[in-house]
Amino acid sequence: MTSLLRSKRWIAAVVAAGTLFAVSGCTTSGSEDAGTVSPSSGSASAAAPSSAASAVPGGGPSASPSAEPTAAPTAADTPEPSESAEPTESAEPVAPSAEPSPAPAVPVPAAGGGICTAAELTGSIEDQLGGGAAGSVYRTLVLTNASSQACTMAGYPGVSFADAAGNQLGAPADRAEATAGSVTLAPGASATTTLRQTNAQNYGAECGLTPAAGLRVYPPGATDSLILPQDIPACSAASIVLMSVGTLQPAS
């Protein structure tokens, strides 16, 4: 029994000695490792956090900005204002492409005279041979230059019925389709035109039948008139036209 106890104590002592040796070895090794770190290694280890910090975007306050601030513009960098362009001269007005409608032809006065006036003329109404038609009669209106100088007329005369006092009766004559031309009348020369007169009695009561004493005639372009005697029935109603007249032509 005593031998067994001694053996157990010997084993325990051996185990304790081994454990103490192992612990002493580990402590020595750690101290030696810590003491052998070189300065350069320490610098690398110390620099590591700084490198890691700079690699992270948006680092701490110690991180420096990536770009320098932009310099404020100076007066020299500001562009000079460009001079205003000279005003462009306005283009010449463009003439209208279409010409205005020509004004009615005005007779050109002949040498020594102007437009024939009623005061320079005499006139007459002449029957035409075979000038009768159903309900109408064709007659010739003649105007003669009674002055001592030439005068000119062109176009249609104005013609209407007149009573004994010279007042107009009914509607004036219509204009028949005809070619107008300028006629120069030397002293004593005449111009003529065809006058168509319809029988007033064809219109019955609506006519307002009234006897006419003659025709009031205005030469073309003149403001005065002459009355040519003619006894003929006329209508007082202005809605009924009893006459038509053509343009004046040189007498044949």
Side-chain angles (χ1 to χ4, degrees), residues 118 123 125 160 162-167 213-217 225-230:
I125 299 169
S160 60
D163 60 17
N167 299 315
L215 300 181
R216 180 178 292 278
V217 179
S225 62
L226 64 160
I227 293 180
L228 307 181
Q230 185 185 29

Side-chain angles (χ1 to χ4, degrees), residues 12-231:
V14 172
V15 171
T19 302
L20 178 60
F21 178 80
V23 170
S24 299
C26 291
T27 303
T28 303
S29 176
S31 300
E32 289 177 354
D33 292 341
T36 58
V37 174
S38 64
S40 60
S41 300
S43 299
S45 300
S50 175
S51 301
S54 62
V56 177
S62 61
S64 59
S66 59
E68 301 239 346
T70 305
T74 63
D77 298 331
T78 305
E80 291 286 337
S82 59
E83 296 183 359
S84 59
E86 292 291 331
T88 305
E89 296 184 0
S90 58
E92 292 292 331
V94 180
S97 57
E99 294 185 359
S101 301
V106 177
V108 178
I115 294 175
C116 299
T117 64
E120 298 172 309
L121 301 174
T122 60
S124 61
I125 299 169
E126 301 176 356
D127 291 337
Q128 293 183 0
L129 295 175
S136 299
V137 177
Y138 288 90
R139 294 184 169 94
T140 301
L141 171 62
V142 181
L143 295 177
T144 302
N145 182 5
S147 70
S148 60
Q149 60 183 2
C151 65
T152 301
M153 61 178 65
Y156 295 88
V159 181
S160 60
F161 291 110
D163 60 17
N167 299 315
Q168 179 175 326
L169 294 174
D174 280 343
R175 292 181 175 183
E177 185 176 354
T179 302
S182 178
V183 180
T184 299
L185 298 179
S190 299
T192 63
T193 186
T194 297
L195 180 67
R196 178 185 177 186
Q197 295 179 316
T198 301
N199 188 349
Q201 296 172 342
N202 294 343
Y203 293 91
E206 62 178 321
C207 168
L209 193 63
T210 304
L215 300 181
R216 180 178 292 278
V217 179
Y218 286 87
T223 56
D224 58 345
S225 62
L226 64 160
I227 293 180
L228 307 181
Q230 185 185 29
D231 293 327

